[in-house]
């Protein structure tokens, strides 16, 4: 098999695993939200961003760095050096795992008190084992990826998420009688169980490959030793920029946890009331905003190698076509999801989180209406980041997201203390943050590539189709509500909206052959659609 085929196969394996993991993670929040409701989701979401931040710092850049160095050493026949990279990285990540987990263990109580949500203690402390095991797992993932074997990473990702969901749901339900704070801790502990299982799976695979690796080391062609100091330096040079970029979103969420709760309490919300509002925002509304990412991430993953290849060959026309199709396909996902969530915000919350009070459903629906427009910009940021990475400009989206984060902090601090806005201020600030990042990415993408965008095809046509769909969906819901009730009319309206949206896309000539080509099996799908003359 050629290197290109190996790469495509590896990317496909990780892509499929990533989609499965995302779907499982998104679905997980819905039953959890119905068990522990907004109070428990407030505790869970207070702990989770801080855990993700520490995890990002200790792991995000290292699997990539390990994979790169292992691959490079193996390419020159230095199999001994390649394995030494893994051993040095594993040692460092093992120490890092001990330090981060000890930090969380010893500082959990002061952290939740400083955040103004002391009942989130169980949720935070339950994640301590995960902070130890995930860095170890990331070292093994880097080793196998450097050996161009993506299956172990995919299997560990899927098993980790599957057992996180299974154990988290069981523990949440089992511990509910002991109080919602402890039940929320059970939901968090699912993450630790998942990390333990994921680490065990990839370690078992490693043991099965150990004989092969040892044999490879014995045939090493390079006798010169790869010094530990050089390995550490090379790992850090690669890992630090990736870690900085990956840490911005968790930092934004961590800031949210502290700012929102404290600012709400400053306008006389009790700790419990502030926590419930925070649970509505992050546990319910934000969950739905993250669902469309399952599809937009798949497009982003396809764009990086496609644009990188075209850029390496200096094919400007192909780059322009890929960028235009990438933005349009992203908007074809983001726009209908945003408008659909806006017009059916309360019915969708009632459908999914039915075990909550009418007041909670209505209030969360209002939050979702504000937050819904964030789908457009969040999915755009993902696609534009992929494009800039493919063009060899990875720092541009990192800087732009950091600028967006500044806007978020200022607006969250300012808006959440206005009583009539309260937690919705955090939703507005999230939309603005991603809007700023997306607009800056788009402007600088134009500067880098000198592309003139076809605004009618890329932006206007998808917008018209999405607005038309949203109007029909809203009218359908209002017409069916008295006949079928809230839940059935919501499902039927969504189904009608999907059909209407496809019809409008065909009528307006929005989808092209180039767009379909970005999808998995896109060529075959395009052939079938062309038979019916449904594409331009």
């Amino acid at each position: 098999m050629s290197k290109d085929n190996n790469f495509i196969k590896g990317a496909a394996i990780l892509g499929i695993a990533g989609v499965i993991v995302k779907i499982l993670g998104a679905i997980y929040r819905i039953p959890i939200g119905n068990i522990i409701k907004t109070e428990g989701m407030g505790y869970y979401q207070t702990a989770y961003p801080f855990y993700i931040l520490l995890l990002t710092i200790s792991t995000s850049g290292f699997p990539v760095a390990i994979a790169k160095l292992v691959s490079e050493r193996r390419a020159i026949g230095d199999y001994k050096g390649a394995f030494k990279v893994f051993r040095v990285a594993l040692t460092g990540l093992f120490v890092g795992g001990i330090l981060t987990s000890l930090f969380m263990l010893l500082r959990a109580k002061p952290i939740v008190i400083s955040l103004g949500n002391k009942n989130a203690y169980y949720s935070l402390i339950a994640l301590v084992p995960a902070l130890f095991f995930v860095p170890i797992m990331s070292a093994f993932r880097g080793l196998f990826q450097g050996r161009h074997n993506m299956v172990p990473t995919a299997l560990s990702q899927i098993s980790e998420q599957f057992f996180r969901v299974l154990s988290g749901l069981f523990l949440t339900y089992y511990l509910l009688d002991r109080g919602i704070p402890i039940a929320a801790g059970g939901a968090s502990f699912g993450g630790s169980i998942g990390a333990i299982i994921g680490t065990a799976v990839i370690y078992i695979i490693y043991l099965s490959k150990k004989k092969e690796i040892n044999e490879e080391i014995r045939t090493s062609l390079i006798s010169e030793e790869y010094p530990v100091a050089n390995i550490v330096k090379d790992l850090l040079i690669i890992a630090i920029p990736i870690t900085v970029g990956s840490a911005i979103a968790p930092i934004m969420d961590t800031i949210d946890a502290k700012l929102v709760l404290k600012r709400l309490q400053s306008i006389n919300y009790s700790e419990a009331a502030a926590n419930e509002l925070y649970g509505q925002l992050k546990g319910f509304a934000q969950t739905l905003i993250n669902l469309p990412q399952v599809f937009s991430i798949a497009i982003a993953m396809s764009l990086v190698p496609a644009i990188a290849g075209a850029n390496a060959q200096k094919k400007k026309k192909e780059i322009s076509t890929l960028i235009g199709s990438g933005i349009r396909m992203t908007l074809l996902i983001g726009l209908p999801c945003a408008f659909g969530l806006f017009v059916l915000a309360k019915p969708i919350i009632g459908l999914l989180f039915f075990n909550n009070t009418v007041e909670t459903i209505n209030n969360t629906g209002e939050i979702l209406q504000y937050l819904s427009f964030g789908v457009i910009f969040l999915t755009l940021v993902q696609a534009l980041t992929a494009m800039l990475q493919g063009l060899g400009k990875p720092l541009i989206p990192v800087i732009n997201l950091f600028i967006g984060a500044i806007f978020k902090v200022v607006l969250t601090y300012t808006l959440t203390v206005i009583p009539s806005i309260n937690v919705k201020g955090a939703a507005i600030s999230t939309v603005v943050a991603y809007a700023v990042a997306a607009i800056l990415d788009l402007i600088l993408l134009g500067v880098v590539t000198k592309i003139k965008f076809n605004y009618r095809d890329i932006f206007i046509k998808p917008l018209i189709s999405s607005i038309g769909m949203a109007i029909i969906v809203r009218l359908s819901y209002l017409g069916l509500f008295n006949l079928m009730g809230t839940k059935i009319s919501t499902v039927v309206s969504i189904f009608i909206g999907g059909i209407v949206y496809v019809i409008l896309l065909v009528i307006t000539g929005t989808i092209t052959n180039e767009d379909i080509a970005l999808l998995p099996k896109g060529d075959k799908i395009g052939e079938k659609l062309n038979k019916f003359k449904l594409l331009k």
Side-chain angles (χ1 to χ4, degrees), residues 362-377:
N362 287 336
N363 198 49
T364 307
E366 289 176 13
I367 296 169
L368 181 58
Q369 284 186 312
Y370 285 94
L371 201 55
S372 61
F373 294 102
V375 175
I376 302 168
F377 303 112

Side-chain angles (χ1 to χ4, degrees), residues 301-328:
M301 288 177 67
S302 301
L303 284 169
V304 176
I307 290 176
N311 188 50
Q313 297 172 22
K314 301 189 184 303
K315 294 181 178 179
K316 292 186 178 180
K317 187 175 180 182
E318 188 177 332
I319 291 171
S320 178
T321 301
L322 284 167
I323 287 174
S325 289
I327 295 172
R328 183 165 54 249

Side-chain angles (χ1 to χ4, degrees), residues 134 162 295 299 334:
V134 172
F162 178 77
F295 306 102
I299 292 173

Side-chain angles (χ1 to χ4, degrees), residues 165-407:
V165 170
L166 204 64
S167 58
L169 284 172
F170 171 75
L171 288 170
T172 306
Y173 184 78
Y174 180 76
L175 296 171
L176 192 59
D177 289 342
R178 302 192 183 187
I180 288 181
I182 293 176
S188 285
F189 194 65
S192 290
I193 292 175
I196 294 167
I197 297 294
T199 304
V201 167
I202 204 163
Y203 183 67
I204 290 167
I205 296 171
Y206 167 76
L207 290 178
S208 72
K209 300 287 185 181
K210 191 70 168 69
K211 186 177 178 182
E212 178 187 323
I213 293 169
N214 287 338
E215 184 61 35
E216 201 175 65
I217 292 169
R218 280 194 289 271
T219 62
S220 188
L221 303 175
I222 306 292
S223 58
E224 186 180 343
E225 192 78 15
Y226 189 9
V228 172
N230 289 2
I231 293 173
V232 172
K233 183 186 75 173
D234 292 343
L235 283 169
L236 292 176
I237 286 171
I238 300 166
I240 288 174
I242 297 171
T243 301
V244 170
S246 301
I248 291 174
I251 287 170
M252 286 169 66
D253 282 340
T254 304
I255 290 169
D256 245 8
K258 184 172 180 65
L259 268 185
V260 173
L261 290 164
K262 285 289 188 183
R263 296 298 279 170
L264 287 174
Q265 289 172 41
S266 74
I267 54 171
N268 298 322
Y269 279 93
S270 66
E271 183 180 313
N275 173 70
E276 286 210 21
L277 286 175
Y278 188 70
Q280 292 169 15
L281 170 69
K282 291 290 184 179
F284 291 0
Q286 189 79 47
T287 297
L288 297 176
I289 298 307
N290 291 335
L291 279 171
Q293 291 183 61
V294 171
F295 306 102
S296 60
I297 285 172
I299 292 173
M301 288 177 67
S302 301
L303 284 169
V304 176
I307 290 176
N311 188 50
Q313 297 172 22
K314 301 189 184 303
K315 294 181 178 179
K316 292 186 178 180
K317 187 175 180 182
E318 188 177 332
I319 291 171
S320 178
T321 301
L322 284 167
I323 287 174
S325 289
I327 295 172
R328 183 165 54 249
M329 285 298 287
T330 302
L331 288 173
L332 289 177
I333 294 168
L335 284 169
C337 288
F339 285 111
L341 287 171
F342 178 78
V343 298
L344 290 181
K346 291 179 183 179
I348 287 173
I349 293 294
L351 175 69
L352 297 177
F353 301 105
F354 53 85
N355 206 27
N356 289 269
T357 64
V358 173
E359 182 186 357
T360 294
I361 290 169
N362 287 336
N363 198 49
T364 307
E366 289 176 13
I367 296 169
L368 181 58
Q369 284 186 312
Y370 285 94
L371 201 55
S372 61
F373 294 102
V375 175
I376 302 168
F377 303 112
L378 177 56
T379 52
L380 265 180
V381 165
Q382 288 170 339
L384 295 169
T385 297
M387 293 172 194
L388 288 162
Q389 287 173 343
L391 292 166
K393 304 289 182 183
L395 284 179
I396 289 176
V398 173
I399 293 167
N400 292 341
L401 195 56
F402 178 74
I403 294 168
I406 294 171
F407 275 84

